[in-house]
Amino acid sequence: MTVLVWVEHDNASVKDATLAAVTAAGKLGDVVALVAGQGAQGAADAAAKIAGVSKVLLADDAAYGHALAENVAPLIVDLMSDYDAFVAPATTTGKNIAPRVAALLDVMQLSEVLSIEGDQFTRPIYAGNAIATVTSSDAKKVLTIRGTAFDKAATEGGSASVETVSGMGDKGLSRFVGAEIAKSERPELTSAKVIVSGGRALQSGENFHSIIEPLADKLGAAVGASRAAVDAGYVPNDYQVGQTGKIVAPEVYVAIGISGAIQHLAGMKDSKTIIAINKDEDAPIFQVADLGLVGDLFKVVPELTEKL
Amino acid sequence: MKVLVPVKRVLDYNVKPRVKADGTGVDLANVKMSMNPFDEIAVEEAIRLKEKGVATEIIVVSIGEQKAQETLRTALAMGADRAILIVSEDRVEPLGVAKLLAKVAEEEQPGLVILGKQAIDDDNNQTGQMLGALLGWGQGTFASKVEVSGDSVEVTREVDGGLETVKLNIPAIVTTDLRLNEPRYASLPNIMKAKSKPLAQKTPADYGVDVTPRLTVVKVAEPAKRTAGVKVADVDELVMKLKAMGVAK
């Protein structure tokens, strides 16, 4: 089987999410990486060095500059006549493009795949409260990969050739107007390696800023919140981690003043390590936490920030 | 212009899903079901467009068992004008749903189709994008702001790392993210009024669409339980552990 992998990049380098997708794709067959963009030669060269990539296809065109699904999907569909599977990381870009590709190929997509064993795939449903094992009867497979579920392929060691491909260019359905990317120095919530999250126990927005944020900055972490903290107006709702908010799976998740309601756990329980700080030693969060500290967050968190 | 809003009946987000002992799925017998939260946001957005004079009629559509009527009535009580229920007692996958919605869109000729970004049961996040592909329309996914002007719509999207704005030709597809709006509650008089709003019943066969699933669910299992952690005595011990893990220097 030959697999086409969507490369997420910033024109010069390949983003981390792609590396897990390469590992997952390697379980299916021979991996060919697709770099679509405008002025993306640097990214293509970087992709060629990823261990496990046998060839890189570079589609360099103004139409692909912002990865608009309307333009990129037909390019991929066109290439897919030579491939058996299309694999994208389950980033917002991957999630935007892959289903459009799947529908154009008339196949069902497998979203947020956690494992691949032969022809069986596992994926989370009900916000990770259940894991479904599925098989696909489609001749071609389209998958998005949950980045935290697969090891990252090495960024060095490969020596693939780069081949230029062209597509149909701009379909004229959509155009990029602008972007407002991360005003803060903090990493973005869904792709952060470390997340520090606060709950209702913070009592106010001021406390949230003065207690949670300094710790987050010390750890180079993104900042999240429980629904209670969002509903109470401490932080805007794009901070919300949980079933209806963002689903995250960082290496380390620090839950501060969060009791651990099921809707919140649904958004973060796939984190590699969970650390909880709560004054109630019976709080449900301690049942999932790898490391727990029972104490008053107003004393403990500033002390922790200072000692780090 | 007309606005089409697909809505899905799902297990209420407050209910903890229980995996059936035989591993065939999640137990949905005698549990509270409600409208998918992202679809509530989609209905709300359509109503706001109507209140601004942009939308002329809001059609809500659901695909599923007879009980999905309740979900449609909720949408009608919020402010939608009429409803279509495509009855299927069997599971319909996003591809099948998108094909049915494409037929409805061809019939109704909406200017916008507003969907939730994902349903909180299957967590697929596919239907809107698939519908965009089948209709050949632009897609503004994960929308946190929607502004219609003339024959185009500007959609601000929540992307990894921040926000991105795209401009789409109308007709177009929009899928909602959490930040788009705060859905309203249906008032009692509106719930009563919704009972007399039109609700048409169809089947997938009426649209000539084959909705046979492409994926076979082999089994559904509980996620691996996390191993019990340890409690640390004080901040110093926590700092030590964080350093050992390489999280802190």
Side-chain angles (χ1 to χ4, degrees), chain A residues 9-79:
Chain A
H9 64 86
D10 61 2
N11 284 336
S13 64
V14 171
K15 292 193 183 170
D16 267 13
T18 309
L19 304 173
V22 167
T23 304
K27 289 182 177 286
L28 294 170
D30 189 31
V31 180
V32 173
L34 170 64
V35 176
Q38 185 180 16
Q41 182 69 47
D45 293 340
K49 291 189 192 130
I50 299 172
V53 172
S54 69
K55 188 164 76 172
V56 176
L57 303 181
L58 173 62
D60 213 317
D61 189 314
Y64 307 137
H66 297 284
L68 293 170
E70 296 83 354
N71 294 344
V72 167
L75 164 75
I76 297 165
V77 170
D78 194 32
L79 294 169

Side-chain angles (χ1 to χ4, degrees), chain A residues 70 96 127 178 182 237 263 269, chain B residues 14 123 139 141 161 165 179 226:
Chain A
E70 296 83 354
N96 189 42
N237 64 1
Q263 302 96 312
K269 67 186 178 53
Chain B
N14 276 308
D123 285 330
Q139 63 186 47
T141 49
T165 304
R179 240 207 297 191
R226 294 189 74 97

